Amino acid sequence: MPGCQFASDNTAGFCPEAWEALAQANTGSMSSYGDDPWTARACGMIRDLFEHDAEIFFVFNGTAANALALAAMCQSYHSILCHEIAHVEADECGAPEFFSNGTKLLLLPGERAKLRPEMIRRAVERRRDIHYPKPRVATVTQATELSTVYSVDELTAIGATCHELGLALHMDGARFANAVASLGVAPRAITWEVGVDVLCLGGTKNGIAVGEAVVFFRKELAAEFAWRCKQAGQLASKMRFLSAPWVGLLENDVWLANARRANAAAARLEAGFRAIPGIEVIGRRDANALFARLPAPIADGLRGRGWRFYDFIGSGGHRFMCSWATTDADVDALLADARAAAGPAA
Ligand SMILES: *Cc1c(COP(=O)(O)O)cnc(C)c1O
């Protein structure tokens, strides 16, 4: 299925460096459940990357990472402020509510899938009575579900507002690497330095097969988190195979090169689409997904040639997601087929 790579960044495989680390970990016997040198090394590398003495846990996927991290900060009578199209709301089948025994998600609107400080403030100050689920956490997605990125200033303002209001700040970083690549800042500059308490750091979409890291910058929030992971079926017994690929990803900044490649592929696609009459690029793109409105003959023509991409119901838009594995040749082949489907005028 040659055209699959634009459906999502999880259609790609392992990047070679992570694959190599996995192979290296496959020697001899080692202690289980995380008490092994690969896990220690991966944790050390994440601490170095963030320049912070964080508490780190490896889990199998992003839904578990988000749901368990949020549950760790909440009682069942609390609420979590999130954007109305956030992954935690729209794509996790109620896992945050389930693992927190009923903590309610309170949905906020916001342009380009971003929360703004004044909306967080309004949501908290609107009601403070005993009848309302008490706001406890705000969660932001970086990069967002619409391929935009929060700036350092935007996050600084959100972090300050949250902490003033007594909220913890959680970041869904399934595409954190793409955000760092887009902004060109140090990882600390968009996390603990601006008040992020917990980050779910994405590995899967960045070039490994399985795994996300839950990074607690405020270590006290991680109390008993290991038990939470175990109960949820998220403690790998052969943990070295979950953690070793992280070493391959983090060594020599492969994570960043992977993210830059994905972002650059989306930029190349954007430039190409803008030059094809009839195709309308939707919104601003900072990261590795491009949203565009394609006339039906072009969209159908691409699908007929085997390309896969998501439709956004209601908006008439389509999403083209690039990964670490998307090459210039892939993008150019898609563009050539789009031009062919557009007809002689293009
Ligand atoms: C992909 C993704 C996740 C993780 O999804 P899983 O399928 O559970 O690994 C989390 N947040 C966002 C924004 C995502 O795009």
Side-chain angles (χ1 to χ4, degrees):
M1 189 67 91
C4 256
Q5 63 268 50
F6 295 98
S8 181
D9 35 8
N10 60 18
T11 62
F14 259 113
C15 68
E17 297 86 350
W19 183 248
E20 174 57 30
L22 184 65
Q24 280 179 28
N26 192 30
T27 47
S29 64
M30 258 173 228
S31 299
S32 47
Y33 297 113
D35 186 22
D36 67 88
W38 286 97
T39 303
R41 200 167 148 205
C43 289
M45 291 176 90
I46 291 175
R47 288 187 193 104
D48 289 347
L49 179 67
F50 286 94
E51 304 169 71
H52 197 87
D53 183 25
E55 201 76 68
I56 296 150
F57 301 83
F58 297 102
V59 297
F60 292 102
N61 63 26
T63 297
N66 284 333
L68 296 175
L70 290 167
M73 293 184 277
C74 293
Q75 297 292 332
S76 56
Y77 51 82
H78 284 140
S79 55
I80 297 162
L81 309 181
C82 71
H83 193 278
E84 60 195 2
I85 69 160
H87 199 273
V88 290
E89 156 65 12
D91 294 295
E92 298 188 355
C93 197
E97 296 93 327
F98 177 76
F99 283 108
S100 59
N101 293 311
T103 305
K104 190 173 168 65
L105 296 188
L106 296 180
L107 311 185
L108 305 180
E111 276 175 33
R112 302 175 183 164
K114 289 185 189 179
L115 295 188
R116 290 199 316 276
E118 62 270 25
M119 292 156 49
I120 294 172
R121 181 181 299 281
R122 207 174 307 136
V124 172
E125 290 181 345
R126 202 158 65 106
R127 292 273 299 269
R128 288 188 185 277
D129 57 83
I130 195 92
H131 307 285
Y132 194 64
K134 190 173 194 285
R136 175 72 188 100
V137 186
T139 173
V140 291
T141 310
Q142 176 77 319
T144 71
E145 289 77 3
L146 291 184
S147 201
T148 54
V149 164
Y150 287 92
S151 69
V152 174
D153 286 350
E154 287 172 325
L155 289 172
T156 302
I158 287 172
T161 300
C162 284
H163 292 163
E164 182 201 323
L165 296 168
L167 302 181
L169 181 56
H170 165 268
M171 179 176 277
D172 175 350
R175 299 190 180 90
F176 183 80
N178 303 93
V180 171
S182 174
L183 290 168
V185 297
R188 66 177 148 76
I190 52 171
T191 54
W192 60 270
E193 276 192 348
V194 294
V196 173
D197 299 303
V198 184
L199 167 70
C200 293
L201 177 63
T204 306
K205 289 166 181 162
N206 190 216
I208 62 178
V210 182
E212 317 277 297
V214 184
V215 183
F216 287 91
F217 298 111
R218 258 173 63 202
K219 287 176 110 174
E220 68 272 21
L221 295 174
E224 300 189 349
F225 194 72
W227 280 267
R228 202 176 276 285
C229 289
K230 174 67 192 186
Q231 186 185 48
Q234 290 290 321
L235 176 62
S237 68
K238 292 190 178 180
M239 183 67 91
R240 64 173 142 152
F241 299 112
L242 213 55
S243 55
W246 279 97
V247 173
L249 205 56
L250 293 165
E251 224 166 27
N252 303 318
D253 286 338
V254 168
W255 66 278
L256 189 55
N258 281 357
R260 285 189 178 135
R261 220 174 308 119
N263 290 3
R268 187 181 185 90
L269 185 60
E270 178 173 359
F273 270 178
R274 286 192 187 280
I276 299 175
I279 294 184
E280 181 200 344
V281 170
I282 304 169
R284 174 198 166 106
R285 180 205 57 79
D286 296 318
N288 58 318
L290 179 68
F291 291 81
R293 216 167 268 121
L294 274 58
I298 302 185
D300 296 345
L302 285 175
R303 291 222 164 89
R305 289 168 166 85
W307 298 102
R308 295 289 172 266
F309 47 89
Y310 276 106
D311 288 337
F312 279 76
I313 298 153
S315 72
H318 311 281
R319 186 189 77 173
F320 295 82
M321 183 72 80
C322 300
S323 76
W324 68 270
T326 311
T327 63
D328 286 354
D330 294 328
V331 173
D332 293 347
L334 178 87
L335 289 170
D337 282 346
R339 278 192 291 272

